[in-house]
Amino acid sequence: MATAISANKAELLAIADSVAKEKLIDKAIVIEAMEDAIQRAAKNRYGVENDIRAKLDPVSGDLRLWRVVEVVEAVDDYFKQVSVKDAQKLQKGAVVGDYIVDPLPAIEFGRIQAQASKQIIFQKVRDAERERQFEEFKDRMGEIITGVVKRVEFGHVVVDLGRAEGVIRRDQQIPREVVRVGDRVRSIILNVRRENRGPQIFLSRAHPDFMKKLFAQEVPEIYDGIIEIKAAARDPGSRAKIGVISHDSSIDPVGACVGMKGSRVQAVVQEMQGEKIDIIPWSPDTATFVVNALQPANVSRVVIDEEEDRIEVVVPDDQLSLAIGRRGQNVRLASQLTAKAIDILTEADASEKRQKEFVERSEMFQNELDVDETLAQLLVAEGFGSLEEVAYVELDEIAGIEGFDEELGQELQSRAQEALERREEANRTERRALGVEDDLATMPYLTEAMLVTLGKAGIRTLDDLADLATDELVQKKRQEPRRRNEDAPKRDQDKGGVLAEYGLSDEQGNEIIMAARAHWFADEAAAPAAGASDTGAAGEEDAVAESEQ
């Protein structure tokens, strides 16, 4: 019998060692799983209501089993508590609050108990293995890893990473790339998420960061930090652009990335299945960087609209198709690289656009300021584009225009202010006709024109405004880069917020919404006070009734 027990002990420890090494987890976790399984089996044998503990010695393999009871004055739970009198029989000197250990004999494992214990151990080990995988990979996001294709499921590639599995989803693969089971593939760890079924490791071969990391492996100057990749954009499997800068004036960043006879860039191109890569010198000056990003097209000039966060690029007529690229690829990648929306115009387009804007602004000044055509055109030629600019600019800027004087400048500013007041009154009348409450006019940053826009969108009360999210109110429209005069209709990638056209920031939008919600919090604060007041009044009525009796 002793021999059998020793064999069982040795077998338990051997199993624990084997599982720990195979699953690359701590042996203590396997021992703990075994103790848990034995503990549950003992509860099934002696009663699940009991507080039963099991302890397996990791060195000798000795197994101890015991029940724990608490000494109390009045017993409520006879399975986990014992009176002082009965406790004295088990342990002399026991007092209230003590815990008494009641040893239990070893249990026999039948087939059902053994199967249940096996499942418990497997589950614990599986959980520990998943946690180990998550801890190993969670800090490796952004790292390039090599694995073997294990299987392909519904277009998604499952990769064996050695100690775990990763998946390259269909949208993160290089288009038209064919992978087979057993192929070795390199990819970047895009994300690691903890989920119920275990850690999910998402890989990518199409992300711009994959290209960045490949360059860092091929170009020592990038790895050492001498050259920095400031921006990258990809059309996976077709073309890519990267913007690089050198922190050492003696090193050419473009040449270093290309390498001797193109050896460095070709190594990256081969890994990316022949994807053509434009290496562009990065510049802190937005206009210069945009010009570089649109290579190989030549650019005549760049106009930056900071309010709309858009850039207009004028190119010679013969460079238009080159600047746009096949199916708009070149301008699209340049837009992604610079994080700006880019419009491509020819010289003729730009001239027509400027002429149209000049005529529209001149007519607006003629009508609103009641001046002749020559004076209105002179204002536009000097860079004035709105009534607000005329009304609130420094007087010297108007009076300093050739042919103007201070008296004329004051008169123009006065007329501009009156025109703005007329607009405001007209908007106020329209706003009230739409049923927009006056309370909305007290909100910060909102003008009468904005309130009209809100009214047309069906937002007419404080509650309507308070129900909006910040992006629903002020988010700017984002549009695909395109030619300004192309016949195809403009496609919005995002319709934007209700007040997107007014250029309010997210902070301002949030402040507006919180101001609209203020009355909600005031009502909530008033409700308990009202309840307390009602209770006090009821108490007074009861006291009066008692005194009358």
Side-chain angles (χ1 to χ4, degrees):
M1 186 69 177
T3 304
I5 295 173
S6 300
N8 289 337
K9 292 178 182 179
E11 186 177 349
L12 284 174
L13 295 180
I15 291 171
D17 282 331
S18 175
V19 172
K21 290 177 181 177
E22 180 184 351
K23 301 298 183 181
L24 300 173
I25 59 177
D26 191 352
K27 179 182 175 182
I29 295 176
V30 183
I31 295 291
E32 183 182 343
M34 290 179 169
E35 291 173 349
D36 190 33
I38 295 168
Q39 185 174 300
R40 294 195 187 187
K43 283 189 175 183
N44 290 333
R45 170 68 177 80
Y46 295 111
V48 295
E49 302 87 354
N50 293 289
D51 184 6
I52 296 177
R53 314 284 177 87
K55 182 65 177 176
L56 181 63
D57 193 308
V59 178
S60 65
D62 290 333
L63 174 65
R64 292 190 299 118
L65 204 62
W66 68 89
R67 179 172 71 103
V68 177
V69 290
E70 182 184 4
V71 181
V72 296
E73 291 183 357
V75 177
D76 293 328
D77 186 344
Y78 287 93
F79 294 99
K80 297 179 181 178
Q81 296 176 339
V82 65
S83 65
V84 177
K85 181 178 179 182
D86 292 336
Q88 295 287 346
K89 298 176 184 178
L90 298 172
Q91 180 179 313
K92 291 183 179 181
V95 295
V96 174
D98 285 351
Y99 287 89
I100 296 178
V101 175
D102 184 15
L104 297 174
I107 59 172
E108 292 290 336
F109 275 80
R111 183 179 61 82
I112 295 176
Q113 291 87 347
Q115 187 67 24
S117 300
K118 181 180 177 182
Q119 291 298 326
I120 292 170
I121 294 172
F122 279 178
Q123 184 61 45
K124 285 271 188 180
V125 170
R126 191 180 299 114
D127 291 344
E129 185 180 14
R130 288 172 174 174
E131 184 63 25
R132 190 264 307 159
Q133 290 174 354
F134 178 77
E135 290 297 326
E136 179 180 349
F137 285 93
K138 70 175 184 178
D139 297 325
R140 296 179 64 183
M141 285 189 289
E143 179 182 318
I144 282 186
I145 193 168
T146 302
V148 178
V149 176
K150 192 172 184 180
R151 59 186 182 275
V152 180
E153 298 176 345
F154 307 106
H156 306 306
V157 179
V158 179
V159 182
D160 184 358
L161 303 176
R163 298 184 179 182
E165 287 185 355
V167 60
I168 309 177
R169 293 182 298 186
R170 188 185 295 108
D171 61 336
Q172 294 299 325
Q173 299 171 27
I174 297 176
R176 298 176 296 279
E177 180 181 24
V178 179
V179 294
R180 297 179 178 86
V181 175
D183 288 351
R184 294 184 65 83
V185 295
R186 281 201 290 179
S187 54
I188 189 171
I189 301 176
L190 199 60
N191 193 13
V192 180
R193 292 206 302 259
R194 180 188 273 121
E195 296 185 2
N196 293 333
R197 56 181 176 172
Q200 297 298 299
I201 303 170
F202 296 100
L203 310 174
S204 175
R205 285 177 57 79
H207 199 278
D209 286 348
F210 179 59
M211 178 176 60
K212 288 183 180 181
K213 292 295 182 179
L214 289 175
F215 268 105
Q217 290 183 351
E218 297 294 335
V219 183
E221 291 86 351
I222 295 178
Y223 182 83
D224 294 336
I226 300 172
I227 295 175
E228 181 182 357
I229 299 177
K230 299 290 286 187
R234 288 182 67 188
D235 190 352
S238 177
R239 191 174 177 185
K241 291 177 182 283
I242 62 168
V244 294
I245 187 174
S246 175
H247 299 295
D248 186 340
S249 58
S250 64
I251 296 177
D252 173 26
V254 176
C257 292
V258 172
M260 186 71 68
K261 297 183 180 179
S263 59
R264 292 176 175 178
V265 71
Q266 281 304 315
V268 178
V269 168
Q270 290 174 9
E271 180 63 39
M272 293 164 58
Q273 301 299 305
E275 194 171 309
K276 296 179 181 178
I277 303 174
D278 296 336
I279 304 173
I280 297 160
W282 183 85
S283 172
D285 179 63
T286 302
T288 303
F289 188 37
V290 168
V291 171
N292 294 340
L294 284 170
Q295 292 178 3
N298 295 322
V299 175
S300 299
R301 63 179 179 277
V302 176
V303 180
I304 300 175
D305 187 341
E306 294 182 354
E307 291 185 1
E308 293 292 330
D309 201 27
R310 299 185 70 84
I311 296 177
E312 291 182 356
V313 177
V314 181
V315 298
D317 292 352
D318 61 346
Q319 294 286 305
L320 180 61
S321 59
L322 191 61
I324 294 176
R326 183 166 57 90
R327 298 179 182 177
Q329 185 185 66
N330 192 53
V331 66
R332 184 171 65 252
L333 289 175
S335 179
Q336 294 174 11
L337 194 70
T338 59
K340 302 285 185 182
I342 298 176
D343 287 336
I344 305 294
L345 292 82
T346 63
E347 294 283 3
D349 293 336
S351 177
E352 181 183 344
K353 176 176 177 290
R354 287 197 304 272
Q355 185 63 30
K356 183 179 178 181
E357 288 179 350
F358 187 87
V359 171
E360 288 176 351
R361 291 176 180 177
S362 297
E363 290 178 351
M364 182 270 293
F365 283 140
Q366 281 183 260
N367 297 330
E368 296 289 355
L369 299 181
D370 191 22
V371 295
D372 59 29
E373 183 179 2
T374 303
L375 197 149
Q377 291 179 351
L378 192 53
L379 283 173
V380 177
E382 289 294 328
F384 291 93
S386 67
L387 288 174
E388 287 81 4
E389 292 177 1
V390 176
Y392 302 116
V393 77
E394 293 292 334
L395 180 60
D396 293 345
E397 293 193 30
I398 300 179
I401 298 174
E402 186 175 354
F404 284 30
D405 56 23
E406 189 171 325
E407 183 179 352
L408 178 57
Q410 289 176 342
E411 179 62 24
L412 289 174
Q413 285 196 318
S414 177
R415 292 186 184 185
Q417 291 167 4
E418 291 174 1
L420 290 173
E421 290 174 2
R422 287 196 302 271
R423 281 187 184 178
E424 192 79 355
E425 185 58 37
N427 286 328
R428 185 179 295 110
T429 302
E430 184 178 1
R431 182 259 295 176
R432 288 172 175 167
L434 289 169
V436 179
E437 294 180 351
D438 289 341
D439 289 342
L440 267 68
T442 64
M443 296 297 100
Y445 307 115
L446 293 185
T447 64
E448 291 293 343
M450 294 179 189
L451 295 175
V452 170
T453 303
L454 290 174
K456 290 179 179 178
I459 301 165
R460 300 184 174 94
T461 67
L462 281 179
D463 287 335
D464 293 339
L465 182 59
D467 280 334
L468 295 178
T470 302
D471 57 348
E472 294 175 320
L473 183 65
V474 301
Q475 183 175 350
K476 293 182 179 179
K477 295 180 181 180
R478 295 194 299 272
Q479 299 166 339
E480 295 178 347
R482 62 186 186 92
R483 280 192 60 195
R484 174 73 70 174
N485 65 339
E486 65 185 5
D487 296 330
K490 181 167 61 178
R491 293 178 295 168
D492 286 354
Q493 293 176 328
D494 193 318
K495 293 183 179 179
V498 181
L499 301 180
E501 61 185 292
Y502 296 98
L504 293 171
S505 66
D506 288 346
E507 291 75 15
Q508 290 172 326
N510 188 53
E511 190 175 339
I512 292 169
I513 291 173
M514 293 308 296
R517 292 175 181 174
H519 71 287
W520 290 353
F521 306 121
D523 292 344
E524 289 176 3
S533 176
D534 293 343
T535 303
E540 291 177 4
E541 291 175 0
D542 292 341
V544 171
E546 289 179 4
S547 64
E548 289 177 351
Q549 290 177 357

